[in-house]
């Protein structure tokens, strides 16, 4: 599996642990979050620090996760750098998502 999960201060922190986030991983990615929310995990961090390439279907999957979480909880992204950060800026998704530098910052944001 390309996702790792841990709990930090009551927040579910999910790390994408591969360099490429593309259409081949979208279905599993979305299902992982559907299952997490169904299990009652509503404060979520998605760590994209390992991701060096992200295509439009992957961006769409992250948007779908935000919709899945919806009003039931909060999603904070962290670790987006380089091309991945530029993708969020270019598509103006940086205005839709809360994006912080590190997992620690994301957990602090959710616990404030």
């Amino acid at each position: 599996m390309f996702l790792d999960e841990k709990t930090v201060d009551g927040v579910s922190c999910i790390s994408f642990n591969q360099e490429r986030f593309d259409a081949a991983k979208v279905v599993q990615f979305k299902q992982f979050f559907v299952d997490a929310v169904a299990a009652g995990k509503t404060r979520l961090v998605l760590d994209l620090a390992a991701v060096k390439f992200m295509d439009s279907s992957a961006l769409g999957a992250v948007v779908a996760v935000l919709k899945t979480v919806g009003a039931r909880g909060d999603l904070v992204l962290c670790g987006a750098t380089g091309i991945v950060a530029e993708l969020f800026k270019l598509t103006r998704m940086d205005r839709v998502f809360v994006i912080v530098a590190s997992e620690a910052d994301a957990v602090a944001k959710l616990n404030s």
Side-chain angles (χ1 to χ4, degrees):
M1 180 59 126
F2 51 86
L3 296 169
D4 295 319
E5 182 179 12
K6 65 183 177 182
T7 302
V8 178
D9 294 334
V11 174
S12 295
C13 298
I14 296 98
S15 299
F16 196 97
N17 62 24
Q18 293 185 355
E19 289 188 3
R20 289 187 61 87
F21 186 3
D22 55 25
K25 297 175 181 79
V26 165
V27 173
Q28 274 186 292
F29 176 82
K30 289 194 294 189
Q31 189 60 52
F32 181 90
F33 281 93
V34 166
D35 294 344
V37 171
K41 298 174 184 176
T42 57
R43 296 184 317 142
L44 303 163
V45 170
L46 174 58
D47 187 347
L48 298 171
V51 179
K52 304 296 181 227
F53 172 81
M54 187 171 172
D55 69 10
S56 60
S57 62
L59 181 61
V62 177
V63 171
V65 165
L66 182 62
K67 289 180 180 179
T68 298
V69 173
R72 295 176 283 199
D74 294 298
L75 174 68
V76 176
L77 307 182
C78 68
T81 59
I83 290 174
V84 175
E86 287 301 315
L87 177 64
F88 280 94
K89 288 177 188 169
L90 179 67
T91 59
R92 298 183 185 234
M93 288 291 112
D94 61 332
R95 297 178 183 184
V96 174
F97 290 95
V98 175
I99 304 174
V100 297
S102 69
E103 181 182 282
D105 292 340
V107 170
K109 181 86 171 165
L110 287 169
N111 282 332
S112 64

